[in-house]
PDB file of all heavy atoms in Angstrom:
ATOM      1  N   ALA A   4    -164.064  48.671 -20.763  1.00 98.00           N
ATOM      2  CA  ALA A   4    -163.083  47.560 -20.594  1.00 98.00           C
ATOM      3  C   ALA A   4    -162.471  47.260 -21.947  1.00 98.00           C
ATOM      4  O   ALA A   4    -163.135  47.393 -22.974  1.00 98.00           O
ATOM      5  CB  ALA A   4    -163.838  46.375 -20.049  1.00 98.00           C
ATOM      6  N   ASP A   5    -161.216  46.849 -21.928  1.00 98.00           N
ATOM      7  CA  ASP A   5    -160.512  46.550 -23.180  1.00 98.00           C
ATOM      8  C   ASP A   5    -161.243  45.489 -23.988  1.00 98.00           C
ATOM      9  O   ASP A   5    -161.276  45.539 -25.191  1.00 98.00           O
ATOM     10  CB  ASP A   5    -159.094  46.050 -22.833  1.00 98.00           C
ATOM     11  CG  ASP A   5    -158.183  47.110 -22.385  1.00 98.00           C
ATOM     12  OD1 ASP A   5    -158.542  48.330 -22.560  1.00 98.00           O
ATOM     13  OD2 ASP A   5    -157.127  46.859 -21.786  1.00 98.00           O
ATOM     14  N   SER A   6    -161.875  44.586 -23.275  1.00 98.00           N
ATOM     15  CA  SER A   6    -162.555  43.401 -23.953  1.00 98.00           C
ATOM     16  C   SER A   6    -163.723  43.904 -24.815  1.00 98.00           C
ATOM     17  O   SER A   6    -164.202  43.062 -25.617  1.00 98.00           O
ATOM     18  CB  SER A   6    -162.959  42.416 -22.946  1.00 98.00           C
ATOM     19  OG  SER A   6    -163.871  42.967 -22.002  1.00 98.00           O
ATOM     20  N   VAL A   7    -164.275  45.088 -24.547  1.00 98.00           N
ATOM     21  CA  VAL A   7    -165.476  45.471 -25.302  1.00 98.00           C
ATOM     22  C   VAL A   7    -165.253  46.679 -26.150  1.00 98.00           C
ATOM     23  O   VAL A   7    -166.204  47.164 -26.858  1.00 98.00           O
ATOM     24  CB  VAL A   7    -166.658  45.750 -24.304  1.00 98.00           C
ATOM     25  CG1 VAL A   7    -166.879  44.523 -23.388  1.00 98.00           C
ATOM     26  CG2 VAL A   7    -166.460  47.022 -23.451  1.00 98.00           C
ATOM     27  N   LYS A   8    -164.103  47.284 -26.103  1.00 98.00           N
ATOM     28  CA  LYS A   8    -163.789  48.482 -26.943  1.00 98.00           C
ATOM     29  C   LYS A   8    -164.070  48.131 -28.382  1.00 98.00           C
ATOM     30  O   LYS A   8    -163.613  47.084 -28.898  1.00 98.00           O
ATOM     31  CB  LYS A   8    -162.337  48.932 -26.712  1.00 98.00           C
ATOM     32  CG  LYS A   8    -162.166  49.637 -25.476  1.00 98.00           C
ATOM     33  CD  LYS A   8    -160.683  50.063 -25.290  1.00 98.00           C
ATOM     34  CE  LYS A   8    -160.522  50.808 -23.929  1.00 98.00           C
ATOM     35  NZ  LYS A   8    -159.017  51.182 -23.777  1.00 98.00           N
ATOM     36  N   GLY A   9    -164.690  49.040 -29.064  1.00 98.00           N
ATOM     37  CA  GLY A   9    -164.986  48.943 -30.494  1.00 98.00           C
ATOM     38  C   GLY A   9    -166.243  48.149 -30.779  1.00 98.00           C
ATOM     39  O   GLY A   9    -166.758  48.098 -31.899  1.00 98.00           O
ATOM     40  N   ARG A  10    -166.823  47.447 -29.734  1.00 98.00           N
ATOM     41  CA  ARG A  10    -168.074  46.686 -29.889  1.00 98.00           C
ATOM     42  C   ARG A  10    -169.226  47.214 -29.126  1.00 98.00           C
ATOM     43  O   ARG A  10    -170.360  47.069 -29.603  1.00 98.00           O
ATOM     44  CB  ARG A  10    -167.760  45.220 -29.551  1.00 98.00           C
ATOM     45  CG  ARG A  10    -166.696  44.535 -30.216  1.00 98.00           C
ATOM     46  CD  ARG A  10    -166.621  43.041 -29.902  1.00 98.00           C
ATOM     47  NE  ARG A  10    -166.305  42.787 -28.509  1.00 98.00           N
ATOM     48  CZ  ARG A  10    -167.067  42.095 -27.695  1.00 98.00           C
ATOM     49  NH1 ARG A  10    -168.228  41.579 -28.120  1.00 98.00           N
ATOM     50  NH2 ARG A  10    -166.721  41.928 -26.418  1.00 98.00           N
ATOM     51  N   PHE A  11    -168.937  47.759 -27.948  1.00 98.00           N
ATOM     52  CA  PHE A  11    -170.030  48.230 -27.106  1.00 98.00           C
ATOM     53  C   PHE A  11    -169.934  49.809 -27.092  1.00 98.00           C
ATOM     54  O   PHE A  11    -168.893  50.360 -27.121  1.00 98.00           O
ATOM     55  CB  PHE A  11    -169.871  47.718 -25.642  1.00 98.00           C
ATOM     56  CG  PHE A  11    -170.128  46.257 -25.484  1.00 98.00           C
ATOM     57  CD1 PHE A  11    -170.261  45.395 -26.555  1.00 98.00           C
ATOM     58  CD2 PHE A  11    -170.203  45.768 -24.213  1.00 98.00           C
ATOM     59  CE1 PHE A  11    -170.493  44.026 -26.335  1.00 98.00           C
ATOM     60  CE2 PHE A  11    -170.395  44.368 -23.941  1.00 98.00           C
ATOM     61  CZ  PHE A  11    -170.487  43.553 -25.059  1.00 98.00           C
ATOM     62  N   THR A  12    -171.156  50.408 -26.902  1.00 98.00           N
ATOM     63  CA  THR A  12    -171.234  51.818 -26.799  1.00 98.00           C
ATOM     64  C   THR A  12    -172.125  52.175 -25.664  1.00 98.00           C
ATOM     65  O   THR A  12    -173.278  51.718 -25.595  1.00 98.00           O
ATOM     66  CB  THR A  12    -171.770  52.502 -28.058  1.00 98.00           C
ATOM     67  OG1 THR A  12    -170.935  52.151 -29.174  1.00 98.00           O
ATOM     68  CG2 THR A  12    -171.832  53.993 -27.959  1.00 98.00           C
ATOM     69  N   ILE A  13    -171.680  53.027 -24.756  1.00 98.00           N
ATOM     70  CA  ILE A  13    -172.466  53.419 -23.593  1.00 98.00           C
ATOM     71  C   ILE A  13    -172.959  54.849 -23.807  1.00 98.00           C
ATOM     72  O   ILE A  13    -172.199  55.689 -24.398  1.00 98.00           O
ATOM     73  CB  ILE A  13    -171.710  53.335 -22.263  1.00 98.00           C
ATOM     74  CG1 ILE A  13    -172.673  53.566 -21.059  1.00 98.00           C
ATOM     75  CG2 ILE A  13    -170.518  54.331 -22.242  1.00 98.00           C
ATOM     76  CD1 ILE A  13    -172.049  53.186 -19.707  1.00 98.00           C
ATOM     77  N   SER A  14    -174.193  55.153 -23.408  1.00 97.00           N
ATOM     78  CA  SER A  14    -174.690  56.516 -23.543  1.00 97.00           C
ATOM     79  C   SER A  14    -175.646  56.745 -22.393  1.00 97.00           C
ATOM     80  O   SER A  14    -176.043  55.810 -21.668  1.00 97.00           O
ATOM     81  CB  SER A  14    -175.388  56.683 -24.859  1.00 97.00           C
ATOM     82  OG  SER A  14    -176.476  55.790 -24.996  1.00 97.00           O
ATOM     83  N   ARG A  15    -175.957  58.059 -22.163  1.00 94.00           N
ATOM     84  CA  ARG A  15    -176.817  58.315 -21.036  1.00 94.00           C
ATOM     85  C   ARG A  15    -177.774  59.517 -21.450  1.00 94.00           C
ATOM     86  O   ARG A  15    -177.377  60.386 -22.206  1.00 94.00           O
ATOM     87  CB  ARG A  15    -176.039  58.653 -19.744  1.00 94.00           C
ATOM     88  CG  ARG A  15    -175.195  59.869 -19.765  1.00 94.00           C
ATOM     89  CD  ARG A  15    -174.302  59.969 -18.538  1.00 94.00           C
ATOM     90  NE  ARG A  15    -174.929  60.442 -17.404  1.00 94.00           N
ATOM     91  CZ  ARG A  15    -174.409  60.474 -16.149  1.00 94.00           C
ATOM     92  NH1 ARG A  15    -173.236  60.034 -15.956  1.00 94.00           N
ATOM     93  NH2 ARG A  15    -175.088  60.976 -15.093  1.00 94.00           N
ATOM     94  N   ASP A  16    -178.930  59.533 -20.817  1.00 92.00           N
ATOM     95  CA  ASP A  16    -179.883  60.655 -21.001  1.00 92.00           C
ATOM     96  C   ASP A  16    -180.096  61.152 -19.616  1.00 92.00           C
ATOM     97  O   ASP A  16    -180.765  60.541 -18.729  1.00 92.00           O
ATOM     98  CB  ASP A  16    -181.221  60.035 -21.576  1.00 92.00           C
ATOM     99  CG  ASP A  16    -182.190  61.131 -21.845  1.00 92.00           C
ATOM    100  OD1 ASP A  16    -182.223  62.143 -21.094  1.00 92.00           O
ATOM    101  OD2 ASP A  16    -183.082  60.927 -22.741  1.00 92.00           O
ATOM    102  N   ASN A  17    -179.442  62.310 -19.355  1.00 87.00           N
ATOM    103  CA  ASN A  17    -179.495  62.885 -18.008  1.00 87.00           C
ATOM    104  C   ASN A  17    -180.874  63.274 -17.593  1.00 87.00           C
ATOM    105  O   ASN A  17    -181.291  63.139 -16.402  1.00 87.00           O
ATOM    106  CB  ASN A  17    -178.505  64.012 -17.819  1.00 87.00           C
ATOM    107  CG  ASN A  17    -177.111  63.578 -17.868  1.00 87.00           C
ATOM    108  OD1 ASN A  17    -176.773  62.472 -17.423  1.00 87.00           O
ATOM    109  ND2 ASN A  17    -176.174  64.444 -18.352  1.00 87.00           N
ATOM    110  N   ALA A  18    -181.702  63.700 -18.549  1.00 89.00           N
ATOM    111  CA  ALA A  18    -183.077  64.170 -18.204  1.00 89.00           C
ATOM    112  C   ALA A  18    -183.940  62.978 -17.704  1.00 89.00           C
ATOM    113  O   ALA A  18    -184.751  63.119 -16.870  1.00 89.00           O
ATOM    114  CB  ALA A  18    -183.677  64.837 -19.463  1.00 89.00           C
ATOM    115  N   LYS A  19    -183.668  61.756 -18.357  1.00 90.00           N
ATOM    116  CA  LYS A  19    -184.463  60.665 -17.989  1.00 90.00           C
ATOM    117  C   LYS A  19    -183.729  59.758 -16.925  1.00 90.00           C
ATOM    118  O   LYS A  19    -184.285  58.779 -16.543  1.00 90.00           O
ATOM    119  CB  LYS A  19    -184.695  59.759 -19.258  1.00 90.00           C
ATOM    120  CG  LYS A  19    -185.558  60.472 -20.286  1.00 90.00           C
ATOM    121  CD  LYS A  19    -185.778  59.531 -21.486  1.00 90.00           C
ATOM    122  CE  LYS A  19    -186.697  60.191 -22.551  1.00 90.00           C
ATOM    123  NZ  LYS A  19    -186.877  59.300 -23.704  1.00 90.00           N
ATOM    124  N   ILE A  20    -182.524  60.180 -16.554  1.00 91.00           N
ATOM    125  CA  ILE A  20    -181.682  59.413 -15.629  1.00 91.00           C
ATOM    126  C   ILE A  20    -181.601  57.961 -16.108  1.00 91.00           C
ATOM    127  O   ILE A  20    -181.890  57.018 -15.310  1.00 91.00           O
ATOM    128  CB  ILE A  20    -182.166  59.556 -14.248  1.00 91.00           C
ATOM    129  CG1 ILE A  20    -182.584  60.966 -13.893  1.00 91.00           C
ATOM    130  CG2 ILE A  20    -181.067  59.167 -13.240  1.00 91.00           C
ATOM    131  CD1 ILE A  20    -183.173  61.164 -12.537  1.00 91.00           C
ATOM    132  N   THR A  21    -181.278  57.835 -17.323  1.00 95.00           N
ATOM    133  CA  THR A  21    -181.243  56.501 -18.019  1.00 95.00           C
ATOM    134  C   THR A  21    -179.810  56.335 -18.651  1.00 95.00           C
ATOM    135  O   THR A  21    -179.313  57.256 -19.252  1.00 95.00           O
ATOM    136  CB  THR A  21    -182.367  56.372 -19.012  1.00 95.00           C
ATOM    137  OG1 THR A  21    -183.578  56.517 -18.342  1.00 95.00           O
ATOM    138  CG2 THR A  21    -182.281  55.044 -19.686  1.00 95.00           C
ATOM    139  N   VAL A  22    -179.308  55.126 -18.530  1.00 97.00           N
ATOM    140  CA  VAL A  22    -178.107  54.757 -19.205  1.00 97.00           C
ATOM    141  C   VAL A  22    -178.399  53.604 -20.128  1.00 97.00           C
ATOM    142  O   VAL A  22    -179.156  52.685 -19.780  1.00 97.00           O
ATOM    143  CB  VAL A  22    -176.984  54.449 -18.185  1.00 97.00           C
ATOM    144  CG1 VAL A  22    -177.279  53.263 -17.283  1.00 97.00           C
ATOM    145  CG2 VAL A  22    -175.638  54.309 -18.846  1.00 97.00           C
ATOM    146  N   TYR A  23    -177.691  53.591 -21.265  1.00 98.00           N
ATOM    147  CA  TYR A  23    -177.920  52.552 -22.282  1.00 98.00           C
ATOM    148  C   TYR A  23    -176.560  51.854 -22.543  1.00 98.00           C
ATOM    149  O   TYR A  23    -175.499  52.510 -22.429  1.00 98.00           O
ATOM    150  CB  TYR A  23    -178.412  53.207 -23.565  1.00 98.00           C
ATOM    151  CG  TYR A  23    -179.688  53.983 -23.389  1.00 98.00           C
ATOM    152  CD1 TYR A  23    -179.659  55.332 -23.252  1.00 98.00           C
ATOM    153  CD2 TYR A  23    -180.957  53.404 -23.346  1.00 98.00           C
ATOM    154  CE1 TYR A  23    -180.729  56.135 -23.066  1.00 98.00           C
ATOM    155  CE2 TYR A  23    -182.119  54.136 -23.211  1.00 98.00           C
ATOM    156  CZ  TYR A  23    -182.047  55.507 -23.073  1.00 98.00           C
ATOM    157  OH  TYR A  23    -183.098  56.212 -22.909  1.00 98.00           O
ATOM    158  N   LEU A  24    -176.654  50.658 -23.010  1.00 98.00           N
ATOM    159  CA  LEU A  24    -175.409  49.906 -23.444  1.00 98.00           C
ATOM    160  C   LEU A  24    -175.802  49.242 -24.754  1.00 98.00           C
ATOM    161  O   LEU A  24    -176.548  48.209 -24.704  1.00 98.00           O
ATOM    162  CB  LEU A  24    -174.931  48.930 -22.375  1.00 98.00           C
ATOM    163  CG  LEU A  24    -173.579  48.260 -22.758  1.00 98.00           C
ATOM    164  CD1 LEU A  24    -172.453  49.237 -22.693  1.00 98.00           C
ATOM    165  CD2 LEU A  24    -173.334  47.091 -21.815  1.00 98.00           C
ATOM    166  N   GLN A  25    -175.260  49.714 -25.847  1.00 98.00           N
ATOM    167  CA  GLN A  25    -175.402  49.072 -27.167  1.00 98.00           C
ATOM    168  C   GLN A  25    -174.334  48.024 -27.343  1.00 98.00           C
ATOM    169  O   GLN A  25    -173.183  48.448 -27.354  1.00 98.00           O
ATOM    170  CB  GLN A  25    -175.384  50.105 -28.273  1.00 98.00           C
ATOM    171  CG  GLN A  25    -175.546  49.521 -29.660  1.00 98.00           C
ATOM    172  CD  GLN A  25    -176.876  48.827 -29.871  1.00 98.00           C
ATOM    173  OE1 GLN A  25    -177.954  49.379 -29.513  1.00 98.00           O
ATOM    174  NE2 GLN A  25    -176.863  47.654 -30.518  1.00 98.00           N
ATOM    175  N   MET A  26    -174.685  46.807 -27.532  1.00 98.00           N
ATOM    176  CA  MET A  26    -173.675  45.763 -27.585  1.00 98.00           C
ATOM    177  C   MET A  26    -173.786  45.116 -28.986  1.00 98.00           C
ATOM    178  O   MET A  26    -174.822  44.545 -29.352  1.00 98.00           O
ATOM    179  CB  MET A  26    -173.951  44.684 -26.508  1.00 98.00           C
ATOM    180  CG  MET A  26    -173.991  45.240 -25.034  1.00 98.00           C
ATOM    181  SD  MET A  26    -174.108  43.994 -23.774  1.00 98.00           S
ATOM    182  CE  MET A  26    -175.755  43.359 -24.181  1.00 98.00           C
ATOM    183  N   ASN A  27    -172.708  45.235 -29.752  1.00 98.00           N
ATOM    184  CA  ASN A  27    -172.676  44.738 -31.089  1.00 98.00           C
ATOM    185  C   ASN A  27    -171.560  43.630 -31.148  1.00 98.00           C
ATOM    186  O   ASN A  27    -170.727  43.583 -30.313  1.00 98.00           O
ATOM    187  CB  ASN A  27    -172.390  45.809 -32.105  1.00 98.00           C
ATOM    188  CG  ASN A  27    -173.467  46.872 -32.198  1.00 98.00           C
ATOM    189  OD1 ASN A  27    -174.588  46.598 -31.967  1.00 98.00           O
ATOM    190  ND2 ASN A  27    -173.072  48.098 -32.430  1.00 98.00           N
ATOM    191  N   SER A  28    -171.597  42.801 -32.175  1.00 98.00           N
ATOM    192  CA  SER A  28    -170.609  41.743 -32.384  1.00 98.00           C
ATOM    193  C   SER A  28    -170.485  40.960 -31.168  1.00 98.00           C
ATOM    194  O   SER A  28    -169.264  40.702 -30.701  1.00 98.00           O
ATOM    195  CB  SER A  28    -169.269  42.401 -32.820  1.00 98.00           C
ATOM    196  OG  SER A  28    -169.412  43.181 -33.998  1.00 98.00           O
ATOM    197  N   LEU A  29    -171.515  40.537 -30.561  1.00 98.00           N
ATOM    198  CA  LEU A  29    -171.400  39.818 -29.295  1.00 98.00           C
ATOM    199  C   LEU A  29    -170.742  38.498 -29.459  1.00 98.00           C
ATOM    200  O   LEU A  29    -170.801  37.803 -30.532  1.00 98.00           O
ATOM    201  CB  LEU A  29    -172.854  39.636 -28.757  1.00 98.00           C
ATOM    202  CG  LEU A  29    -173.443  40.875 -28.137  1.00 98.00           C
ATOM    203  CD1 LEU A  29    -174.939  40.740 -27.982  1.00 98.00           C
ATOM    204  CD2 LEU A  29    -172.805  41.043 -26.723  1.00 98.00           C
ATOM    205  N   LYS A  30    -169.985  38.118 -28.463  1.00 98.00           N
ATOM    206  CA  LYS A  30    -169.255  36.883 -28.423  1.00 98.00           C
ATOM    207  C   LYS A  30    -169.721  36.039 -27.226  1.00 98.00           C
ATOM    208  O   LYS A  30    -170.364  36.551 -26.320  1.00 98.00           O
ATOM    209  CB  LYS A  30    -167.749  37.164 -28.176  1.00 98.00           C
ATOM    210  CG  LYS A  30    -167.082  38.050 -29.233  1.00 98.00           C
ATOM    211  CD  LYS A  30    -165.652  38.427 -28.841  1.00 98.00           C
ATOM    212  CE  LYS A  30    -165.075  39.442 -29.839  1.00 98.00           C
ATOM    213  NZ  LYS A  30    -163.717  39.770 -29.434  1.00 98.00           N
ATOM    214  N   SER A  31    -169.419  34.734 -27.293  1.00 97.00           N
ATOM    215  CA  SER A  31    -169.875  33.842 -26.163  1.00 97.00           C
ATOM    216  C   SER A  31    -169.274  34.280 -24.874  1.00 97.00           C
ATOM    217  O   SER A  31    -169.940  34.153 -23.868  1.00 97.00           O
ATOM    218  CB  SER A  31    -169.458  32.402 -26.539  1.00 97.00           C
ATOM    219  OG  SER A  31    -168.087  32.335 -26.724  1.00 97.00           O
ATOM    220  N   GLU A  32    -168.072  34.884 -24.861  1.00 97.00           N
ATOM    221  CA  GLU A  32    -167.519  35.305 -23.631  1.00 97.00           C
ATOM    222  C   GLU A  32    -168.239  36.570 -23.020  1.00 97.00           C
ATOM    223  O   GLU A  32    -167.820  36.952 -21.974  1.00 97.00           O
ATOM    224  CB  GLU A  32    -165.970  35.544 -23.759  1.00 97.00           C
ATOM    225  CG  GLU A  32    -165.623  36.415 -24.921  1.00 97.00           C
ATOM    226  CD  GLU A  32    -165.191  35.674 -26.154  1.00 97.00           C
ATOM    227  OE1 GLU A  32    -165.889  34.648 -26.497  1.00 97.00           O
ATOM    228  OE2 GLU A  32    -164.178  35.971 -26.802  1.00 97.00           O
ATOM    229  N   ASP A  33    -169.124  37.136 -23.740  1.00 98.00           N
ATOM    230  CA  ASP A  33    -169.916  38.275 -23.177  1.00 98.00           C
ATOM    231  C   ASP A  33    -171.046  37.762 -22.329  1.00 98.00           C
ATOM    232  O   ASP A  33    -171.778  38.528 -21.694  1.00 98.00           O
ATOM    233  CB  ASP A  33    -170.444  39.110 -24.378  1.00 98.00           C
ATOM    234  CG  ASP A  33    -169.356  39.842 -25.086  1.00 98.00           C
ATOM    235  OD1 ASP A  33    -168.393  40.314 -24.491  1.00 98.00           O
ATOM    236  OD2 ASP A  33    -169.474  39.885 -26.333  1.00 98.00           O
ATOM    237  N   THR A  34    -171.245  36.448 -22.394  1.00 98.00           N
ATOM    238  CA  THR A  34    -172.374  35.825 -21.515  1.00 98.00           C
ATOM    239  C   THR A  34    -172.177  36.110 -20.094  1.00 98.00           C
ATOM    240  O   THR A  34    -171.121  35.785 -19.566  1.00 98.00           O
ATOM    241  CB  THR A  34    -172.489  34.350 -21.854  1.00 98.00           C
ATOM    242  OG1 THR A  34    -172.866  34.130 -23.172  1.00 98.00           O
ATOM    243  CG2 THR A  34    -173.511  33.722 -20.869  1.00 98.00           C
ATOM    244  N   ALA A  35    -173.110  36.754 -19.439  1.00 98.00           N
ATOM    245  CA  ALA A  35    -173.025  37.111 -18.039  1.00 98.00           C
ATOM    246  C   ALA A  35    -174.315  37.778 -17.597  1.00 98.00           C
ATOM    247  O   ALA A  35    -175.193  38.053 -18.399  1.00 98.00           O
ATOM    248  CB  ALA A  35    -171.851  38.102 -17.830  1.00 98.00           C
TER     249      ALA A  35
END
């Protein structure tokens, strides 16, 4: 999403069937 570009990074481990979301520079509007 445009609102998280440059701050969030998504990655996945197919072997573990796991997805990650690294969230940096969090803002109050990220509350959810």
Side-chain angles (χ1 to χ4, degrees):
D5 288 343
S6 59
V7 307
K8 282 181 181 177
R10 301 188 297 122
F11 291 10
T12 302
I13 190 170
S14 59
R15 65 191 277 174
D16 183 330
N17 288 332
K19 295 181 180 179
I20 318 177
T21 299
V22 63
Y23 306 95
L24 185 68
Q25 178 66 43
M26 305 185 293
N27 298 329
S28 302
L29 283 160
K30 305 175 181 179
S31 57
E32 51 262 46
D33 295 318
T34 295

